[in-house]
Amino acid sequence: LPGNIMVASDSGKMLVYEPVEPDREMEMHTLSTSSGCFYQLCLSDGTRVWLNSQTRLVYPTCFVGSERVIELDGEAYFQVARDSTIPFVVRVGENAVRVYGTSFNVSAYREDANMITTLETGSVGLWVGEKEYRLIPGDQVDVMVATGVVIKHKVNAEAYCSWRNGTFIFEEERLETILNRLSRWYNVDIFYQNASIKDLHFTGDLGRYEDFMEVLKLIGLTTNVEFIVNERNIIVKHK
């Protein structure tokens, strides 16, 4: 287990690991973010990582060996420093994203049924079992964790990477997916009066630091739902 565990609770901060000599001893560190917080990390090779709320990243203080390997539980955006001789690998449970110098987003919270990888620039290979799925910019691969079923399609990558800039951009996304993302940021629990509500869709830009009640109001205006708020519990119902 990693010997150094850090918990980030303030957004806008950045932790930087300086390049080190190759013979320096490697240590494993863990960085975790709380609700309502995202955090930046610069690894020893120059790779920059943005961690979304409620995310855990395990990484070495310096990279040794034939691969640069880190482990992710949650959501993170990566700008990977190019090194053609030492591939960068993001492990997510039994799956792995192998990077060829690129920027991309991975959403893979342990409690979610899906692992979603979205490529913004460059090239990545997503390994599911023994098969590699190569992505080009604008590709998104959705892996159903329990079954290993893979769905690949085209998306607006900017919308899925926008959270690191303080904005949620949604384009015809399911209401359940949207509220799951918001619940992690605002640390609330979502309940649905009717399961059919989950399949409603919403399009819009939401400022990440706006009052949560204003965010709910905007969603309600365009999806014909209303929200009953009881402290941290949010009940969603048809109007």
Side-chain angles (χ1 to χ4, degrees):
L1 290 177
N4 295 277
I5 300 176
M6 295 158 281
V7 178
S9 58
D10 296 319
S11 290
K13 303 295 184 180
M14 182 166 161
L15 178 63
V16 178
Y17 285 79
E18 298 292 340
V20 297
E21 295 298 326
D23 59 351
R24 181 172 174 176
E25 184 178 353
M26 181 190 72
E27 295 181 357
M28 296 302 295
H29 286 189
T30 299
L31 178 61
S32 298
T33 55
S34 60
S35 299
C37 166
F38 73 95
Y39 205 84
Q40 294 185 54
L41 172 68
C42 184
L43 299 173
S44 62
D45 67 336
T47 292
R48 294 185 65 184
V49 187
W50 285 254
L51 276 66
N52 207 342
S53 58
Q54 298 185 22
T55 293
R56 178 176 177 268
L57 191 75
V58 180
Y59 56 93
T61 53
C62 60
F63 292 104
V64 297
S66 60
E67 292 183 326
R68 295 172 286 168
V69 180
I70 64 173
E71 297 181 11
L72 173 69
D73 175 14
E75 182 171 17
Y77 175 86
F78 298 86
Q79 288 182 345
V80 177
R82 182 176 294 276
D83 187 335
S84 59
T85 63
I86 308 177
F88 192 92
V89 178
V90 181
R91 288 181 178 166
V92 182
E94 298 298 319
N95 304 315
V97 180
R98 189 178 180 90
V99 180
Y100 304 96
T102 186
S103 60
F104 64 103
N105 193 83
V106 178
S107 180
Y109 289 93
R110 188 172 302 176
E111 64 271 22
D112 285 354
N114 299 54
M115 169 188 171
I116 301 173
T117 303
T118 308
L119 180 62
E120 189 174 44
T121 65
S123 177
V124 302
L126 174 63
W127 283 90
V128 180
E130 298 298 317
K131 185 174 182 179
E132 182 185 31
Y133 298 83
R134 292 295 292 266
L135 280 68
I136 62 174
D139 280 351
Q140 182 178 87
V141 173
D142 189 341
V143 181
M144 299 180 187
V145 176
T147 62
V149 172
V150 175
I151 301 174
K152 181 179 176 182
H153 50 269
K154 284 291 185 182
V155 298
N156 174 11
E158 180 186 3
Y160 290 87
C161 302
S162 64
W163 60 265
R164 77 186 196 281
N165 296 318
T167 304
F168 289 111
I169 300 177
F170 301 113
E171 295 185 351
E172 279 298 303
E173 284 200 52
R174 292 179 68 248
L175 188 59
E176 182 183 29
T177 301
I178 293 170
L179 293 179
N180 281 346
R181 294 178 68 183
L182 293 175
S183 69
R184 291 189 177 106
W185 181 255
Y186 293 101
N187 193 26
V188 296
D189 295 318
I190 307 294
F191 302 92
Y192 299 88
Q193 190 179 64
N194 190 303
S196 64
I197 296 175
K198 299 178 180 180
D199 290 321
L200 296 175
H201 288 72
F202 173 80
T203 296
D205 298 359
L206 303 175
R208 191 158 194 174
Y209 298 100
E210 293 178 4
D211 181 84
F212 188 43
M213 296 305 298
E214 291 299 317
V215 171
L216 294 181
K217 180 179 179 181
L218 179 59
I219 294 174
L221 286 174
T222 57
T223 56
N224 200 33
V225 298
E226 61 181 347
F227 302 91
I228 300 173
V229 180
N230 182 13
E231 296 182 347
R232 291 182 55 254
N233 297 321
I234 312 295
I235 300 175
V236 192
K237 57 181 292 187
H238 287 291
K239 289 183 179 177

